[in-house]
Amino acid sequence: MDFELSEKAIDFRSQVKKFIENNLTSEIISNMHKTGTFNDKSFNEALASEGLLAGAVPGYGDRDPVELYLLFNELEKAGAPYDGLAVTMLVAGIINAVGTEFHHEEILKKLLTGKHNCCLGYSEPDYGSDVASITTKAEKVGDKWIINGQKMWTTMAHESDWVLLLTRTNSEVPKHKGMTMFMVPMATPGIEIQPVPTMASERTNATFYDNVEVEDQWRLGEVDDGWSVMGIALALERGVMGGTNPAVPLLKHVLNWAETTPSKNESLMINNTLMRERIARTAIINQVGQLLTLRAAWIAATGGMPGVEGSMAKIYASEEYQKVVGWFQQMAGAEGLLSFGAEDAAASGWIDYDARHAPVTTIYGGTSEINRNNIAERHLGLPRSR
Amino acid sequence: MSADQEAIKDVFSSFFVEQTGPESARNSMPLGFDVKAWKRISETGAPGMGVSPPAGGGASLSDLVIVAEEAGSQIAPLPIVDHVVASRVLEKLDLLEEEVLTGTLVAGLVVRPVENGVAKSVPTGAIANRLIALNEDKLLLITEDPPNESLPNHGDLPIAHREIKNANVIAEGTEATEIFDRALNEWKTLISAFLVGITRSSIEMTVDYVKDRHQFGKPIGSFQSVQHGLADLPGLCDGARLLVNKAAWSGDREMSGEIKLTDNEISDFATLASMSLVFAGETSLQATDRGLHYHGGYGFSEEYDIQLFYRRARAWSQILNSPSEECLHLADLLLKDSED
Ligand SMILES: Cc1cc2nc3c(=O)[nH]c(=O)nc-3n(C[C@H](O)[C@H](O)[C@H](O)COP(=O)(O)OP(=O)(O)OC[C@H]3O[C@@H](n4cnc5c(N)ncnc54)[C@H](O)[C@@H]3O)c2cc1C
C-alpha cells in the first residue's frame, strides 16, 4: 500500500474539500440534526452538478475505490449529511453490477442527478443479524409479483424513490436459496411508512407492504438468487463508504471545547494531563481507522474483495469511537450531558450527541459480533460456531 | 512491499526462524543476548545494513521495519534495532568503527536522558561496547566495556544501569538534540515493528493452539467467546503494522511532514513514530494477554512459549517510558500549533 496518494487522488480530494468549503453550511448541518434525516437533496444535487457523484458509485466510471473512500471520508470528517447518499450510491453500484438496461435507464441515471434516493429493505422485526431468514413474501401471479410483509429499520424510506427489497420467493429450499431482490418504487400503492424515532435524533422507519404489486422488470438479479445480490452489496460497501472516522469531527469539537473551558487545577482543560493523554490516544485511533480503511480501498482498487479487511476497519472504528466518546463525556462532567441549544453545553452539545449516536455504530451495517464471526471463520480459519 | 522488500523479508524470516526463536531466548538467559546467533547474523552483514551504501549498508527505514518485525516474531535476543540505529548516528558524525560495522562491537542507544551521571535501565546496557547518550545538550559516546551481566527483569532483556565513564562529547547544542531525536524516532519505529512481530506470532501460536486443544469434545476454538476474543486481534495487528510502515515512510522522506490534527492528516515522522510505539505496544499487550489466557494453565507454565512473548511485549512497550508519558509527549507534538 502506498502512503503517498496518486496525483489524481490528491486533485480529487482537494476538489472535494473545496466543494465542502463552498457548499456545506452550518444550516445544512443543524437541519440534519433537527430533522434526524441525514440526507440533503440540494447538497446531493450540488455534488452531482460538480461532477463528483458519478465517482461516488462503487465500481462505476473511472474513479477507483481510493477516490470513493476519499469522498466519503471527507464528508464524514466535515460532519456533512452523507448517510442517505452512501446508501443511494451503494444501490447505484449494485445496479451497475447486476442491473438490466431498464434499471440503468430508469434508476441509475436518475440516481446520478442527486435528486433521488434509495433505501435498504433487508431487516425485519424478527430477523436482523439472521437476515437470511426474512419472511416478507413475493409471489408471482401472472406476470406480476405481489409482495406482503414488513421491514424494520428502513432508514431514508421517507426520502426515497425506491427500496431495495429482500423478499422470500421460495420456502421449500434452504433459506439462502429462496430469496429474491427487487427495486420497488416507493410510490407503489400498498406501501406504508411509519417513523421510528431513535435516542440520537436520527430517524429511521418501519415499512409495511400490503399486496404491493410490481412488474417483473423491477426484479434485480435472478429469481431465488437475492443472496448473491446481498453479497455484492456487502462487498461494495465494506469499509470504503464512510463510518470509519467518526471520532475525527468529535475530536475537533472536543478541542474547541478544551481550549476554552476552565479546568479545576490547570488554567484550561487543554492543559489537563488526562485530557492531553486522551487527545493523543484519539489521534492514534483516528489514524489507525484511516489506515485500515485505506487498505480496504486499496484491495478493492487492485481487484480484490476486502470483505474481511472491511470487517476489521468497521469493528475497530466503531468500538473505539464508543470508547472515546465515553472518555470525553465523563471528562466534561455535568455539562457533558447538555444537548444542542442548551446553555453551557460542553462542545455546544456535540459530546451529548456523539454519546447518543455512538452505540448504533456497532449495531447497524452488521454488528460487531457478526463481523467477529466473519473474521474468526474466514481469516483465522476457526470452525463455525453456529 | 516491493520485490526487494519481499526478498528482505524472506531472507530474514528464515534467518530468525533458524537461528533464534523461543529456544534461543531460553538459552540466552540470564544475559538476554544470544552471542552465537549474533556472530551468525554478523556474517551476513546485517549489523551494518542501516548505514549508507558507500559504507556498506543502504537499507531504508522501510526496509529495516521488515527486519525488525521478523526479529520480533521470533523474539530474537539480539540487539539488532539498537545497533542499527546507533551505527547510523556514528556514521553521521564520522565515528563509525569497522568493528561496529561488522558487529564485532555491539552499539546501542541510551534511550532516556542521562540523570546525575547515570544512564538507568539501558535496553542494551549489559552488552553494548558503544553507547550513544544525551546528557542535557551534549551527545556522548560511551566506550566503557559492558558489564556482561543484566539486571534480572520482566522481559529477559540485557538491561543494565551504566555510569557515564569513558565518555566523549561527540556533538553539542541543537546538533546534539537533533541527532538524538532523530535516532530516538528511528528506535521507536523499529521497536514498534519488533512489537508487531511479537503480536503476529502470538496470534498465530494461539490460533494453532485453540484449533488443536479439545475440551467438551471439541476444539476450544469452536467456542464463540474464544473466537471473538481472538477476532479483534488481526485488525489491531494490521493497524499497528500500517502505522509503523507509515512512520518509516515519513522517516525516509526528504521533506518534513505535516500535522493536521483536526483533519486527521499526519505525515510528521516524530508524531508517527510516537503513535506507533504507543499503539504497537498496547496491541502487543492485548494480543499476548488473550493469547496466554486461551492457553489456559499451560500458558502460565515455563514450558509454553506464549509467556515469553507476553513478558517481552511488556518489556519493549515500556522500556522507554510509560505509555501515558509517551501520549503526553505525543500531545505536545499534536497541539504545538494550537498553543502559544
Ligand atoms: C438506526 C438504525 C438504522 C438501520 N438502518 C437499516 C437500513 O437502512 N436497512 C436495513 O435493512 N437495516 C437497517 N438497520 C438494521 C440493522 O442492520 C440491524 O439492527 C442489525 O443487523 C442487527 O439486527 P437486530 O437489530 O435484529 O439485532 P439482533 O440480530 O437481534 O442482535 C441482537 C444482539 O445479538 C447479537 N447476535 C445476533 N446473532 C449473533 C450471533 N450469531 N453470534 C453472536 N451474537 C449474535 C448481535 O450482535 C446483537 O448484539 C438499522 C438499524 C438501526 C438501529
Side-chain angles (χ1 to χ4, degrees):
Chain A
M1 187 176 114
D2 218 335
F3 295 105
E4 200 95 71
L5 292 174
S6 69
E7 255 342 275
K8 189 161 159 266
I10 291 173
D11 279 353
F12 178 72
R13 185 174 62 185
S14 39
Q15 214 182 326
V16 173
K17 276 186 193 291
K18 201 179 290 152
F19 175 85
I20 289 172
E21 218 180 281
N22 294 338
N23 292 275
L24 183 64
T25 60
S26 54
E27 285 76 49
I28 292 181
I29 296 180
S30 74
N31 196 42
M32 87 187 237
H33 289 288
K34 237 177 258 150
T35 60
T37 296
F38 294 3
N39 185 50
D40 189 302
K41 289 197 178 174
S42 52
F43 185 74
N44 297 347
E45 246 188 281
L47 267 167
S49 55
E50 202 80 6
L52 293 169
L53 216 48
V57 181
Y60 178 89
D62 65 343
R63 291 263 153 71
D64 71 27
V66 172
E67 290 169 53
L68 180 65
Y69 149 78
L70 287 173
L71 173 65
F72 284 100
N73 190 240
E74 290 302 326
L75 292 173
E76 177 173 23
K77 289 193 299 191
Y82 73 91
D83 289 15
L85 188 69
V87 168
T88 301
M89 294 301 113
L90 175 66
V91 174
I94 301 170
I95 291 176
N96 181 51
V98 298
T100 59
E101 184 76 44
F102 172 76
H103 299 140
H104 274 83
E105 284 301 312
E106 203 51 38
I107 311 174
L108 183 56
K109 274 199 178 154
K110 290 185 183 160
L111 296 183
L112 292 176
T113 63
K115 293 180 190 156
H116 302 265
N117 278 91
C118 297
C119 57
L120 304 177
Y122 306 152
S123 307
E124 295 186 357
D126 291 339
Y127 300 102
S129 299
D130 183 15
V131 71
S133 292
I134 50 106
T135 59
T136 292
K137 209 163 157 185
E139 252 181 311
K140 190 90 188 268
V141 179
D143 56 1
K144 296 227 164 105
W145 292 90
I146 310 289
I147 300 174
N148 279 290
Q150 187 195 333
K151 292 288 171 182
M152 188 62 190
W153 317 113
T154 327
T155 311
M156 300 298 160
H158 61 295
E159 291 273 290
S160 294
D161 300 282
W162 297 273
V163 53
L164 181 71
L165 196 70
L166 187 64
T167 66
R168 173 79 41 210
T169 38
N170 190 343
S171 356
E172 309 292 304
V173 291
K175 59 182 183 182
H176 292 89
K177 295 186 175 154
M179 288 175 288
T180 303
M181 196 71 94
F182 290 91
M183 284 297 297
V184 179
M186 290 301 290
T188 317
I191 300 181
E192 192 197 323
I193 303 171
Q194 277 177 14
V196 176
T198 67
M199 66 185 264
S201 84
E202 57 204 84
R203 170 186 170 164
T204 179
N205 308 285
T207 49
F208 300 83
Y209 305 83
D210 181 17
N211 284 320
V212 173
E213 213 180 280
V214 292
E215 283 158 36
D216 192 51
Q217 63 189 1
W218 297 104
R219 174 168 51 80
L220 190 60
E222 298 306 312
V223 175
D224 289 349
D225 199 29
W227 195 246
S228 310
V229 183
M230 282 287 286
I232 294 167
L234 286 177
L236 290 177
E237 178 188 9
R238 285 255 162 86
V240 292
M241 300 187 73
T244 55
N245 259 165
V248 174
L250 171 65
L251 182 60
K252 192 174 1 179
H253 296 129
V254 164
L255 284 173
N256 286 339
W257 169 75
E259 279 160 4
T260 51
T261 304
S263 137
K264 278 213 184 74
N265 303 315
E266 292 80 8
S267 53
L268 291 170
M269 276 313 279
I270 194 76
N271 299 318
N272 176 291
T273 329
L274 185 56
M275 187 72 196
R276 292 178 80 82
E277 175 175 348
R278 288 179 164 176
I279 288 170
R281 288 184 186 278
T282 307
I284 296 175
I285 287 165
N286 288 341
Q287 272 293 296
V288 174
Q290 183 197 70
L291 289 168
L292 286 172
T293 312
L294 193 54
R295 177 185 59 165
W298 258 86
I299 292 173
T302 47
M305 286 281 231
V308 169
E309 291 78 7
S311 284
M312 290 177 188
K314 205 255 173 190
I315 295 181
Y316 179 76
S318 55
E319 300 266 335
E320 297 300 296
Y321 173 45
Q322 285 182 6
K323 184 166 90 187
V324 165
V325 169
W327 289 341
F328 292 130
Q329 188 173 36
Q330 291 192 337
M331 294 206 72
E335 282 70 36
L337 305 172
L338 301 180
S339 309
F340 290 136
E343 188 181 342
D344 293 332
S348 314
W350 282 104
I351 290 180
D352 162 63
Y353 166 72
D354 276 287
R356 287 166 181 263
H357 172 65
V360 79
T361 60
T362 54
I363 297 170
Y364 63 17
T367 67
S368 295
E369 286 73 22
I370 296 304
N371 281 295
R372 287 191 184 107
N373 287 345
N374 185 32
I375 294 169
E377 286 162 22
R378 289 175 48 201
H379 183 72
L380 299 178
L382 295 172
R384 263 182 96 87
S385 62
R386 287 152 297 144
Chain B
M1 239 189 254
S2 69
D4 282 354
Q5 290 178 331
E6 295 280 0
I8 292 176
K9 185 176 153 81
D10 287 348
V11 168
F12 282 95
S13 167
S14 321
F15 177 84
F16 290 117
V17 169
E18 281 156 27
Q19 304 294 334
T20 66
E23 277 329 293
S24 139
R26 286 193 173 86
N27 295 336
S28 318
M29 285 181 215
L31 182 60
F33 177 35
D34 186 336
V35 179
K36 223 167 65 194
W38 183 252
K39 284 219 174 87
R40 291 265 157 72
I41 201 171
S42 297
E43 286 159 15
T44 71
M49 72 187 291
V51 300
S52 68
S60 65
L61 265 184
S62 301
D63 299 333
L64 292 170
V65 291
I66 297 169
V67 179
E69 179 177 331
E70 293 311 312
S73 75
Q74 297 301 319
I75 48 172
L78 300 175
I80 185 75
V81 167
D82 269 76
H83 189 89
V84 164
V85 172
S87 41
R88 282 156 78 100
V89 173
L90 291 170
E91 186 191 24
K92 208 174 291 174
L93 293 167
D94 230 356
L95 292 165
L96 187 61
E97 299 160 85
E98 185 62 21
E99 291 85 350
V100 169
L101 191 64
T102 58
T104 316
L105 294 176
V106 171
L109 195 66
V110 173
V111 288
R112 297 187 299 170
V114 174
E115 272 175 51
N116 305 321
V118 185
K120 285 267 174 82
S121 304
V122 178
T124 56
I127 58 171
N129 309 89
R130 300 286 180 268
L131 275 173
I132 311 262
L134 187 69
N135 191 1
E136 286 168 2
D137 69 342
K138 292 186 176 58
L139 197 65
L140 306 178
L141 175 61
I142 303 164
T143 53
E144 177 82 1
D145 285 339
N148 280 312
E149 195 177 326
S150 34
L151 296 165
N153 68 81
H154 195 89
D156 306 324
L157 308 185
I159 297 175
H161 303 321
R162 294 282 295 262
E163 271 177 56
I164 307 304
K165 278 194 274 182
N166 282 331
N168 295 324
V169 176
I170 54 174
E172 284 185 85
T174 48
E175 191 197 9
T177 50
E178 274 172 25
I179 291 177
F180 184 79
D181 285 349
R182 167 78 200 185
L184 191 59
N185 291 333
E186 292 186 354
W187 184 88
K188 286 181 192 175
T189 305
L190 295 175
I191 288 302
S192 304
F194 192 93
L195 285 161
V196 171
I198 289 181
T199 302
R200 186 184 93 199
S201 288
S202 302
I203 297 171
E204 282 167 7
M205 156 183 347
T206 307
V207 168
D208 287 346
Y209 186 80
V210 302
K211 282 179 183 166
D212 190 47
R213 170 80 176 169
H214 282 60
Q215 289 292 290
F216 301 96
K218 29 178 160 168
I220 55 174
S222 61
F223 300 121
Q224 200 184 44
S225 67
V226 173
Q227 294 192 348
H228 283 193
L230 293 173
D232 286 333
L233 304 176
L236 295 174
C237 182
D238 291 359
R241 184 183 298 109
L242 286 162
L243 196 53
V244 170
N245 287 344
K246 186 171 178 186
W249 160 82
S250 71
D252 282 334
R253 292 198 319 169
E254 300 281 311
M255 54 178 129
S256 59
E258 45 179 31
I259 305 171
K260 292 189 189 156
L261 177 57
T262 55
D263 203 27
N264 194 26
E265 295 300 339
I266 292 170
S267 52
D268 172 62
F269 180 41
T271 306
L272 289 165
S274 177
M275 286 182 159
S276 296
L277 186 62
V278 173
F279 189 71
E282 300 204 334
T283 296
S284 74
L285 299 187
Q286 196 173 340
T288 53
D289 193 12
R290 296 210 180 152
L292 191 148
H293 184 77
Y294 295 137
H295 277 72
Y298 295 106
F300 191 61
S301 73
E302 268 266 274
E303 185 194 341
Y304 279 73
D305 295 340
I306 188 72
Q307 52 92 11
L308 299 170
F309 288 78
Y310 179 97
R311 293 187 290 111
R312 278 156 186 76
R314 276 140 192 87
W316 284 117
S317 61
Q318 68 174 74
I319 189 134
L320 175 62
N321 55 24
S322 81
S324 294
E325 278 296 323
E326 188 61 27
C327 282
L328 292 180
H329 165 69
L330 176 57
D332 290 344
L333 296 173
L334 291 168
L335 297 170
K336 79 181 161 229
D337 295 337
S338 61
E339 273 149 30
D340 46 70

